[in-house]
Each structure stands twice: as C-alpha cells, then as structure tokens.
C-alpha cells in the first residue's frame, strides 16, 4: 500500500483503521448527578442496590377476597361456598384484622394480605356482581359465595418478588431507558449518577452558504449540514452547539474555532478535500494537530481528524466531515457516532446488521466500500433492500428515504439484484412492510 510521505499514513485508510484511530482519541467523560427523569438516555455511573424489598409486603395481584385456601376447598358453581365478609382493605391501607375460618376480607389490587389469608379469590369467581345487580353496594355485602376452588398462593405477589433488600439491581454502564428510570423510582431514588452528555460544537464552512430562514440568493445554498449533523448529535446523546458558518477567510475561521474550543468535540463540514480552499486546511493545520485523510468508503472519502488545545490546555478532538450532505451524514454514522457513544460510557458501539436480498444492482467503480442508501422491508420472513434512487453524495433526499445502508465490499465490483447483502440499519427495528 502506498504511503503519504508527510503523514506516514496510507493514502487511503480503511473504514476500520479510521474508526480505530478516532476512537483511540476519545475518553469517557466525567460524571454528574441528575434527577432520574433528566437522566433518560444516559449511562449509569454507579452500581445501584436496593435498600428494601419490592414489594415490601405480600399483596394482592387482583381485586377480590382474601381467604384461607382451606375455606374454599371444593368450591364450584354447582357447589358454592359462602363466606362471611368481615372487612374491606384498599391499596395503601394496612390490615387491621386477620382472616379466620370461613371469613373473608374484600381486598383491592396492591393491598397487603391480612394475617391468616393465603390466597385471593377474584371478584369474577364469586357472586359479587350478582349481589351488586340487586342494588347492594360493596360496603353492604356481608356474605359472599365463592364459585371456584383456589390454590394456595393464588393471586398473591410475595414480598421481595421483584427485588430483595441488598440486591444489585442496576450495574454501572447500564443505559437508562424508561424501564430503568421506573426501577430507580421504585427503589425510592430521585437522583442518579450518570456519565454526562458531550457538548459538540458544529461549524459549517464556505462562502456559498446561507442559513435556513434567510432569503434565497442566486449562487447560494442553504446550510443543511449543520442541522443534519446537529440532529445526529442529539440522536446519539450529545448536546449540539450550533456555531453557524465560518467564511473562507482567516478572521472568520479563527473566530468560529475559538467558540468551538469551549466544547468537548468540534465538528466541521467541508474544506477537507483536495479541491477545497487551502485556507480552511491551513487554519485547521496551523492551530491543531490535524491530519487530512482519504478513507476507503463511498460516500465520505475526504476526512480531517486531530486535536486542538482548548482552555486550560484541554485537548478538544476535531473531526472534519466532508462538505457533501450525504457524505457528512454517512461519515458521522460510521466514524463519529461510535466516538460520541464511547464518550458517554457506552460499549454497544455497533448498529444493528441484517442480511437482505438486493432489489437493485450496486456498482463499485473505484474499490471503495460502498454504503448504498436503501429502504429495507420484510416480506414472507425475509428482508429486502431497495435503493433509494440516485446515490449521488449531494442527493440528500436519498438519505431521508433510507432506513439502512447496504454495504458493497471494497473488492467487489458489482453486486447484482437477487444477491444477499449486509445492511447496516439506520433505524431499527424495521417498521414498514412487516409480513
């Protein structure tokens, strides 16, 4: 493989080499304590053990009658057993009396089981509904007929069934989803220690750019890259800091870089390919330790990567994304997204991969790994991949239509319709076309 004499790197890095070099520069961020709801989507930075049993007391899993199982042995619709109702117990109340002999206590779901009871008979297995139909209110029901035999422990939730006191419930490194937030609340926790979210500065470069909302001008294009990339940052847990457009002059570029170096990561778009203005490269290279790479992938071949020195000598990693909008998004998915997740303490850095049947040809004309935008559907138990049309790196709608990237390897000149292909899912699971 030919080498770049100036950098000592191959002229064209593999995707794996580029990703490894980038990941090596990133570390897990420090932790912060947050209210549990605000910590949704962050990584747990502490082991969480329980200080109590959950549930704390054996309680009813049904609305019904708390009884001793022997009192209803042999009960059936043909041979109902009548019990005396001696009390009522709602959720949140503690039992004030016990169950003895042929007695029962009317009990609601979640209420603690009274002493002497070992089962709950649901309302529908008694004649309560018939008694109500005669105009009796629950408080006026003093006897109840049981129409079905109940086993010991039926419809009970034992104390500690979910969690035992002292048990490790959530381990450090767990991603906090809604279910984990609920678990923390069930333990009585209102705050939690998590890895903080990275702040990511996003800068677009180019004299040709204008911002969305500005009047359209001849020869100008709207700055889509900043918003697409910032949305990617949000999607994968970061906090985007949109810094606008750096113009192709030293003053503008330096001013935007000064703003960006207050963040944890700096992302720029455009100005990193051979045909771009030298001023962008010159400013990046003069102010930081930046290498300009070619990566063996299509789209997203040109890339810059390195570090700047921020406030207090803090190192700020920089990734220079390509200027074409599809290239910027694909480069983010393959090279920036894993680093962003690593900063948050995540270890699950890979996207879901499936095998799908191609419905269109993929042509690989220059021995780069092709990431073809595709719509993945599932039919008759198999996945199918249909390309989204024109695969040009400036056709941003091709990315908007896609839910996966069909991958043609570097050494395969063409993949034909009907072949199976590896697909990296952008969205998972596949929602459309299920059969």
């Amino acid at each position: 493989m030919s080498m770049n004499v100036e950098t000592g790197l191959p002229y064209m890095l593999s995707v794996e080499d580029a990703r490894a070099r980038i990941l090596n520069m990133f570390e897990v961020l420090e932790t912060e304590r947050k209210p549990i709801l605000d910590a949704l989507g962050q990584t747990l930075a502490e082991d969480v053990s329980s200080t109590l049993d959950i549930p704390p007391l054996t309680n009813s899993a049904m609305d019904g009658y708390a009884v001793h199982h022997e009192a209803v042995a042999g009960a059936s619709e043909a041979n109902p057993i009548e019990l005396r109702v001696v009390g009522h117990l709602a959720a949140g109340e503690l039992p004030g009396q016990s169950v003895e002999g042929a007695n029962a206590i009317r009990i609601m779901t979640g209420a603690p089981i009274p002493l002497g009871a070992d089962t709950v008979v649901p309302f529908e297995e008694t004649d309560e509904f018939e008694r109500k139909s005669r105009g009796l209110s629950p408080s006026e029901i003093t006897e109840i007929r049981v129409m079905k035999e109940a086993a010991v422990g039926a419809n009970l939730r034992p104390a500690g069934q979910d969690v035992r006191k002292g048990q490790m419930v959530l381990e450090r490194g767990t991603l906090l989803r809604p279910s984990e937030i609920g678990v923390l609340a069930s333990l009585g926790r209102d705050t939690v220690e998590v890895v903080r979210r990275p702040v990511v500065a996003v800068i677009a470069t180019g004299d040709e750019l204008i911002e969305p909302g500005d009047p359209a001008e001849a020869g100008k294009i709207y700055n889509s890259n900043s918003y697409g990339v910032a949305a990617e940052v949000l999607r994968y847990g970061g906090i985007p800091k949109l810094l606008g457009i750096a113009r192709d002059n030293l003053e503008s570029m330096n001013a935007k870089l000064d703003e960006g170096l207050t963040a944890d990561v700096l992302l720029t778009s455009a100005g990193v390919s051979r045909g771009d203005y030298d001023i962008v490269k010159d400013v990046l290279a003069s102010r930081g330790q930046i290498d300009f790479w070619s990566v063996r992938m299509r789209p997203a071949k040109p890339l810059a990567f390195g570090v700047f020195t921020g406030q207090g000598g803090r190192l700020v990693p920089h990734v220079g994304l390509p200027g074409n909008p599809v290239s910027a998004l694909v480069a983010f998915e393959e090279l920036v997204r894993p680093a962003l997740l690593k900063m948050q303490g995540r270890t699950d850095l890979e996207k879901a991969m499936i095998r799908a049947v191609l419905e269109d040809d993929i042509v690989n004309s220059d021995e780069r790994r092709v990431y073809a935008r595709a719509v993945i559907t599932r039919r008759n138990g198999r996945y199918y991949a249909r390309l989204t049309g024109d695969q040009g790196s400036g056709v941003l709608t091709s990315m908007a239509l896609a839910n996966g990237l069909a991958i043609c390897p570097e050494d395969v000149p063409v993949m034909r319709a009907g072949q199976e292909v590896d697909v990296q899912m952008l969205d998972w699971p596949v929602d459309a076309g299920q059969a």
Side-chain angles (χ1 to χ4, degrees):
M1 178 181 296
S2 60
M3 303 292 286
N4 185 322
V5 176
E6 294 180 1
T7 66
L9 298 175
Y11 275 112
M12 196 175 295
L13 295 174
S14 70
V15 175
E16 287 75 18
D17 282 347
R19 184 183 296 139
R21 290 172 184 273
I22 290 172
L23 281 172
N24 191 53
M25 187 64 69
F26 287 80
E27 301 293 340
V28 179
L29 295 175
E30 66 271 19
T31 67
E32 60 184 354
R33 181 158 292 276
K34 297 181 72 172
I36 57 174
L37 193 56
D38 293 343
L40 179 66
Q42 290 182 253
T43 303
L44 190 61
E46 60 174 319
D47 293 329
V48 176
S49 297
S50 180
T51 59
L52 69 164
D53 288 336
I54 302 177
L57 298 170
T58 300
N59 65 89
S60 178
M62 301 282 287
D63 294 338
Y65 289 87
V67 302
H68 192 278
H69 75 282
E70 291 181 350
V72 295
S76 66
E77 291 190 11
N79 181 39
I81 294 176
E82 189 168 270
L83 303 177
R84 187 162 66 97
V85 180
V86 296
H88 299 260
L89 192 57
E93 294 181 348
L94 292 175
Q97 58 193 123
S98 61
V99 170
E100 299 174 356
N103 294 341
I105 291 178
R106 192 173 187 273
I107 191 169
M108 305 307 291
T109 301
I113 299 298
L115 188 66
D118 62 7
T119 191
V120 171
V121 178
F123 288 158
E124 55 267 30
E125 294 178 6
T126 73
D127 65 348
E128 175 169 303
F129 297 130
E130 179 186 341
R131 292 175 187 268
K132 285 182 176 179
S133 70
R134 300 201 303 264
L136 292 177
S137 68
S139 62
E140 294 173 322
I141 296 175
T142 56
E143 292 88 20
I144 196 73
R145 286 186 175 183
V146 176
M147 322 296 286
K148 186 177 180 180
E149 187 174 59
V152 178
N155 304 311
L156 301 187
R157 293 186 291 216
Q161 180 186 47
D162 187 8
V163 175
R164 303 295 298 182
K165 183 176 180 180
Q167 177 184 335
M168 173 80 74
V169 182
L170 297 173
E171 294 185 355
R172 179 194 304 264
T174 299
L175 177 66
L176 295 179
R177 304 169 301 167
S179 52
E180 282 80 13
I181 299 298
V183 168
L184 288 167
S186 77
L187 299 175
R189 297 286 297 269
D190 62 345
T191 65
V192 67
E193 193 78 13
V194 291
V195 179
R196 73 170 177 87
R197 299 182 185 276
V199 176
V200 182
V202 180
I203 302 173
T205 68
D207 285 341
E208 76 281 10
L209 299 177
I210 57 176
E211 290 289 10
D214 291 344
E217 298 180 37
K220 302 293 185 180
I221 60 174
Y222 284 111
N223 173 21
S224 63
N225 278 2
S226 286
Y227 292 88
V229 168
E232 291 270 21
V233 171
L234 272 174
R235 182 179 190 182
Y236 295 110
I239 302 171
K241 184 178 181 181
L242 281 166
L243 298 183
I245 301 165
R247 301 303 176 184
D248 293 324
N249 62 73
L250 290 173
E251 183 180 2
S252 180
M253 282 293 301
N254 280 309
K256 292 299 181 185
L257 283 179
D258 288 340
E259 290 185 71
L261 295 184
T262 62
D264 298 303
V265 186
L266 173 62
L267 299 180
T268 59
S269 63
V272 296
S273 67
R274 290 181 180 178
D276 287 327
Y277 283 105
D278 288 338
I279 190 170
V280 177
K281 294 181 178 178
D282 289 346
V283 172
L284 294 177
S286 66
R287 295 196 54 179
Q289 300 174 15
I290 307 297
D291 287 327
F292 295 90
W293 299 346
S294 290
V295 183
R296 193 175 288 109
M297 60 190 296
R298 180 158 58 89
K301 176 182 175 182
L303 196 82
F305 178 68
V307 293
F308 291 100
T309 302
Q311 296 177 351
R314 185 174 59 92
L315 296 181
V316 180
H318 164 253
V319 181
L321 301 170
N324 282 319
V326 176
S327 299
L329 293 178
V330 171
F332 187 100
E333 282 284 345
E334 302 309 314
L335 304 173
V336 180
R337 178 190 56 80
L340 202 62
L341 295 178
K342 180 180 176 181
M343 295 180 80
Q344 298 170 77
R346 299 275 295 275
T347 56
D348 52 331
L349 306 185
E350 301 297 327
K351 299 278 286 198
M353 295 284 291
I354 63 168
R355 293 283 287 175
V357 178
L358 272 174
E359 297 187 298
D360 300 289
D361 293 349
I362 299 176
V363 177
N364 184 357
S365 58
D366 56 2
E367 297 184 342
R368 286 188 277 162
R369 183 178 304 172
V370 177
Y371 291 88
R373 283 80 76 195
V375 179
I376 311 305
T377 55
R378 184 175 172 85
R379 304 192 300 271
N380 302 317
R382 299 187 74 182
Y383 291 109
Y384 292 84
R386 172 175 51 83
L387 301 192
T388 58
D390 189 336
Q391 295 288 296
S393 58
V395 184
L396 187 52
T397 53
S398 70
M399 197 72 175
L401 293 169
N403 61 352
L405 298 173
I407 300 172
C408 179
E410 296 91 322
D411 58 351
V412 177
V414 62
M415 297 189 76
R416 298 293 185 188
Q419 286 184 254
E420 279 202 339
V421 63
D422 286 327
V423 178
Q424 176 181 302
M425 297 305 300
L426 297 171
D427 302 304
W428 184 256
V430 175
D431 293 322
Q434 295 283 352

